[in-house]
Amino acid sequence: VIIVAGIILLAAVLAFPEAKLGSKIMTVLSEGVPMVAFLVVFVTFMMTIICRYVLRFAIPWSYEVSILGYMYCMFFGSGIALKRDEHVVFSLLYDKLPPIGQLICKLVYNAVLVVLICIIFVPCLNSLMASTMKTGILKMPYKAVFAPFLWMLFECAFRCLFYMKASWKEYKAHTSKDVREVAEA
């Protein structure tokens, strides 16, 4: 774990020399790790196909590695979907609201998410720490397998708080622009 943390820190420092350290680490974890995890899934999937259908033997660990890679991709990549606002949204009514209504919806939505994440964080942490189970083939402890879930919770809460602040600033800029336009007219 310490070696992996050191490698991530080194990658963060080297990959983004102009950014602050916290931003570098967040970027590597939320963008770099999902890319590597997806690459692992893809390579494992291709190895499985080649071994099974060309070389005529099965790789028993390939399914488990693919599942773990997908989980890590999802857990580490969910925050970036929030950051880029690329998650599924049904905005039929929201788009018809005035700016104050949209602001209220954004603030309530994100506040509810932060509250729910805060409520579930400690039980999830306790459950993770109490787990003694291991994966079937690789014998990895579930503590290591599901630890990124806690990162996902933290990052989603952080992104929601940041989005609430950005929404407030956007609303203020929009209303001050409207006031200036009315004054000029």
Side-chain angles (χ1 to χ4, degrees), residues 58-74:
I59 305 173
W61 51 265
S62 64
Y63 178 73
E64 195 168 296
V65 168
S66 294
I67 295 298
L68 294 174
Y70 176 74
M71 285 173 40
Y72 275 49
C73 186
M74 179 189 63

Side-chain angles (χ1 to χ4, degrees), residues 36-46 65-70:
V36 171
F38 185 77
L39 184 63
V40 166
V41 170
F42 181 75
V43 169
T44 305
F45 181 69
M46 295 309 292
V65 168
S66 294
I67 295 298
L68 294 174
Y70 176 74

Side-chain angles (χ1 to χ4, degrees), residues 15-178:
F16 308 97
E18 70 282 347
K20 294 180 183 176
L21 184 61
S23 176
K24 291 177 188 183
I25 293 172
M26 287 282 285
T27 302
V28 167
L29 288 174
S30 64
E31 294 185 34
V33 172
M35 284 189 275
V36 171
F38 185 77
L39 184 63
V40 166
V41 170
F42 181 75
V43 169
T44 305
F45 181 69
M46 295 309 292
M47 283 176 37
T48 302
I49 291 172
I50 291 169
C51 287
R52 182 172 289 162
Y53 297 110
V54 176
L55 303 175
R56 300 284 185 204
F57 70 90
I59 305 173
W61 51 265
S62 64
Y63 178 73
E64 195 168 296
V65 168
S66 294
I67 295 298
L68 294 174
Y70 176 74
M71 285 173 40
Y72 275 49
C73 186
M74 179 189 63
F75 289 153
F76 282 103
S78 61
I80 202 69
L82 287 173
K83 177 183 177 184
R84 295 181 180 166
D85 201 21
E86 293 178 349
H87 48 86
V88 176
V89 178
F90 298 102
S91 62
L92 198 60
L93 297 175
Y94 172 82
D95 291 339
K96 299 293 182 188
L97 292 175
I100 187 68
Q102 291 181 353
L103 174 68
I104 291 169
C105 287
K106 288 177 187 177
L107 294 178
V108 168
Y109 162 76
N110 286 294
V112 167
L113 275 177
V114 169
V115 167
L116 291 175
I117 287 171
C118 289
I119 289 170
I120 68 167
F121 189 83
V122 172
C124 288
L125 178 63
N126 291 340
S127 175
L128 182 68
M129 295 323 248
S131 177
T132 57
M133 295 175 63
K134 295 185 182 226
T135 61
I137 296 172
L138 298 176
K139 303 299 181 202
M140 289 179 62
Y142 272 26
K143 289 177 185 177
V145 170
F146 289 105
F149 180 74
L150 297 176
W151 168 258
M152 180 187 77
L153 293 177
F154 165 76
E155 186 179 16
C156 286
F158 174 79
R159 298 280 183 202
C160 286
L161 291 171
F162 180 79
Y163 193 58
M164 288 170 68
K165 182 180 174 184
S167 297
W168 180 255
K169 285 182 179 180
E170 179 184 311
Y171 173 73
K172 285 299 210 184
H174 180 74
T175 56
S176 65
K177 177 184 159 192
D178 288 346

